[in-house]
Each structure stands twice: as structure tokens, then as C-alpha cells.
Amino acid sequence: MKILSWNIRGLGNPRMYLALKKILQVHSPHLVFLCETKLKTMRMNEVSRKLNYENCFAVSSIGKGGGLALLWKSETNVQINSFNQHHIDAEIVMENGKLIRCTGVYGHPDMRQRKHTWTLLRRLSGFSSTSWSCFGDFNEILHPFEKSGGNERHLRLITDFREALRDCDLLDIGYKGYPFTWSNGKFGPAFVEERLDRFVCNGAWRDIFSDVVATNIDTWTSDHCPVMMEVQTRGCGMNFNQRRATRIHYEDMWSPYDGCKEIVEEEWSTQGRWNIENPASVFQKVAKKSMARLILWSKEEFRGRQKKLEKLTKQLRSRKLNRVQYVDGNKIKEVERQIQNLLADEEIFWKQRSRADWLKGGDKNTKFFHHKASSKKKKKNLGDRKCSWKLD
């Protein structure tokens, strides 16, 4: 099972939405917890369906801030227990019938009010003794070394967080990837990074699941990075398959590129003998040669988009590890721009493949469009899911 947690800082932003769709496509989490969606409940449910998550429980934003959401696939059995503006608590029935508990947490951004978050954790811990994992943006660090740059964090704030986890029998499960999950975006000497987002779990959770570890996923949009935990029941394995598109033909996304224009102009200016040969034959010959060159050019320019994305994200992580953000952020911004352009190209690609003129920006990677592009139609019956909740 995979669980993704992300403080997305505004899901209504097209860049955030596009980034989330790509992350969901690559990692396919079963459960997704989002903080600061900045969306009302109705709008969040619409977005969830576009993301191809059939079930969504949303806590509406207040004004221009806040907003939580828990998304899950139809095959995942989820029941909501409680919620407010800073948490969503749920129980999940595993395939083997075991009951586990997952709580998405959004720590209060005001440090003077953060004590209420720790009080909330202690209250939630008393509701059940089952296997329990908490995740989200806690807005606090556990150790002084989890912050780089700026003033030192007050030790009292760190201690309060530690004591809350200790009282709830919760332990940080650690991480893989870049060590920090938030930055202030002020590149140069004023740059600050912290590890605010994490997964914690109790002893009963670690008894059930093996190799419990979280991964900090590279991001090129939000000031927070997504964190994902992948777990499997001891002695069991899980497989996740991905489909790949293989057809190649003229793509709309080629048109804005100078390389495409140069190939077409060169072929049509040098190959055409319009005054001598049959125009239809000339058209067919020139179009064929142009297409052959465009396909070769496309292999270099566009093939392996996922590999290019992986290469760019590794480059982004490498530059962060080399701490270039503390000197000049232009190199990081350039990589982020390249990633965004790559995703924009892919959106155009799937728009053409789907043959759906009504496709709106950002909706390229739903199962519907993938199936439509490959001329396959599949009916999916969604079982009824019952959700109940209690107000705190």
C-alpha cells in the first residue's frame, strides 16, 4: 500500500494541479492526503474525480487558506472517523481483513497555537489501540539539524513536539531522498529549509508492516515537497504496472519548436518541383520525407519523456544537495522551468492522442484518456462506499 501526503499550497493553481497529476501517475498511491488545498468541498470533489480518485472526503477551506482532502481508490475500504481544519482521521480495512488507522495532520502554522495540534494528537491516540500512522505537515521539526539557514528554532517548540509523539507512542519512520521538505523560496543568504512533513507510526503499525520508510519526492512547484510511504504486510509482495504508449505520428506539440519548422521548410523548399511534376505526387513525396525526418528528430527531442523527467528531477536534487540555493536560485529555477515545459508538452501529446477536443488543460492522464488514445473502452462499476464521520 502506498500513502502520499502533500501540503500542495493551492490545488486551484494549474501548475500545482499538473504536478500532482504527474506524481499520482508515476507513484499510483492508494491513499492521498492533501493540506492547504484552498478549495471548497464541492470543487475538491470535482478535482478528485478528474484525478481518477473515485472517493474523496474534503474539509472546506476558510477564506483563501486552509482546506484538507483525503482521496482514495475504489478498491480501498476507508471509513472517516473524525475531522476538523487540522486533521482527517480514518480507518482502512486491508485485504487480509486487518484494520489500520491513518490520520492526516496539518499542524497549526501559528507557533503560538501549535500546542492545540499536540493536544489533538493526544486526544486521537486515546480513541483506539490499533495500528496507527500519522502523516502530513506538522509545521515543526524534531531535531535542530532538521533546519538549515535562518535563526535557530526555539528548543521549547521542538521539545513540545517530541513529547506529544512520545505520549502517543509515535515514532518518526525516517526518510529517503532530500533531507528537507519545505523552503522559504528566498534564494541566496536568506534561504531557509526545514523538514516539516513526515510520517510517524506506533509500535503496532511496525509489527504489521515491514520496511516502513518514507520518501521525500522532488517537487518543482510548491514550497513543500510530497512525502510518500510504501508499506507491505510482512511476507507479502505488491506489484504496480504501468502502460506505455508506443504509436508515433505527427504530434501537435512539435509545431511550436524551431527544429520542426526548420525541417518542414527545408524539405518543402528543396524537394518540391511544383511546376514540373504532378502536385499531388510532389505533396505525397515531400510529406513522406518530412515525416521521416521529423520522426528521427522527435526520437531525440521527445522520446523518453519519463526518463527526461527523472533526469531533470535528479538534476534538481543534485543542485539542492550542492546548496546552490544558498548562493543563487537561477539554476534551480531553470530546471523547474524545464520540468514544467516538459509536462506542458505531455499535456498536448495526450490531448491529441485522446481525439477529445473538449479536453481541458491538466486532464491528460486520467484512465479515460489513456484508454481512448489506445482505442480501448472499459466500463468500470464502482461499488458503493459508506462513509461516516463525527465532528470534534
Side-chain angles (χ1 to χ4, degrees), residues 204-334:
W205 182 281
R206 293 189 297 274
D207 291 339
I208 292 179
F209 298 108
S210 61
D211 301 325
V212 178
V213 66
T215 300
N216 296 337
I217 300 173
D218 299 298
T219 182
W220 50 94
T221 50
S222 174
D223 54 0
H224 286 260
C225 76
V227 184
M228 188 180 73
M229 175 174 65
E230 182 175 3
V231 297
Q232 62 183 35
T233 306
R234 295 186 182 276
C236 297
M238 302 181 75
N239 294 318
F240 299 90
N241 299 319
Q242 293 182 342
R243 283 192 299 270
R244 298 178 182 269
T246 56
R247 278 192 307 140
I248 295 181
H249 55 270
Y250 187 86
E251 307 290 356
D252 288 344
M253 67 181 180
W254 293 350
S255 301
Y257 285 81
D258 292 337
C260 173
K261 296 175 183 178
E262 291 172 1
I263 290 173
V264 173
E265 289 176 356
E266 181 180 340
E267 289 297 329
W268 284 85
S269 63
T270 59
Q271 300 293 333
R273 300 172 61 186
W274 302 97
N275 296 329
I276 302 175
E277 301 181 25
N278 185 318
S281 299
V282 174
F283 178 87
Q284 186 178 20
K285 181 179 66 174
V286 176
K288 185 176 181 180
K289 289 186 177 181
S290 298
M291 192 61 191
R293 287 189 59 187
L294 285 172
I295 289 176
L296 292 175
W297 168 78
S298 176
K299 288 180 180 180
E300 179 66 25
E301 189 72 27
F302 294 104
R303 277 280 185 95
R305 281 184 293 270
Q306 185 58 38
K307 290 184 179 179
K308 285 188 177 182
L309 178 61
E310 292 173 358
K311 181 179 179 181
L312 286 171
T313 52
K314 287 180 180 178
Q315 186 177 351
L316 182 64
R317 187 188 315 137
S318 175
R319 292 185 176 183
K320 289 181 178 180
L321 289 172
N322 290 330
R323 300 175 68 85
V324 298
Q325 62 269 36
Y326 291 91
V327 180
D328 183 8
N330 290 328
K331 292 182 178 180
I332 290 180
K333 290 179 180 179
E334 173 60 23

Side-chain angles (χ1 to χ4, degrees), residues 19 38 44 64 84 90 99 109 116 140 147 155 173 188 194 228 246 250 260 325 334 357 365 371 384-385 389:
K38 300 183 180 180
M44 185 62 234
K64 295 183 179 180
N84 62 18
L99 186 69
H116 299 304
E140 191 52 82
K147 178 177 181 179
L155 188 59
I173 69 171
E194 298 178 345
M228 188 180 73
T246 56
Y250 187 86
C260 173
Q325 62 269 36
E334 173 60 23
D357 294 335
N365 281 319
H371 288 184
D384 293 334
R385 297 292 176 186
W389 55 84

Side-chain angles (χ1 to χ4, degrees), residues 36-80:
E36 289 198 70
T37 61
K38 300 183 180 180
L39 295 178
K40 298 299 182 182
T41 300
M42 184 176 297
R43 176 58 179 154
M44 185 62 234
N45 279 279
E46 294 174 357
V47 171
S48 176
R49 289 190 293 270
K50 290 182 179 180
L51 292 170
N52 200 37
Y53 278 75
E54 300 87 353
N55 301 284
C56 172
F57 182 85
V59 179
S60 184
S61 61
I62 298 179
K64 295 183 179 180
L68 307 178
L70 191 68
L71 288 62
W72 65 94
K73 295 286 190 177
S74 59
E75 63 268 20
T76 307
N77 191 344
V78 176
Q79 178 173 331
I80 305 299

Side-chain angles (χ1 to χ4, degrees), residues 18 34 204 224 312 351 361 366 380:
L18 194 60
L34 301 173
H224 286 260
L312 286 171
K351 178 179 179 179
T366 64
K380 188 171 185 179

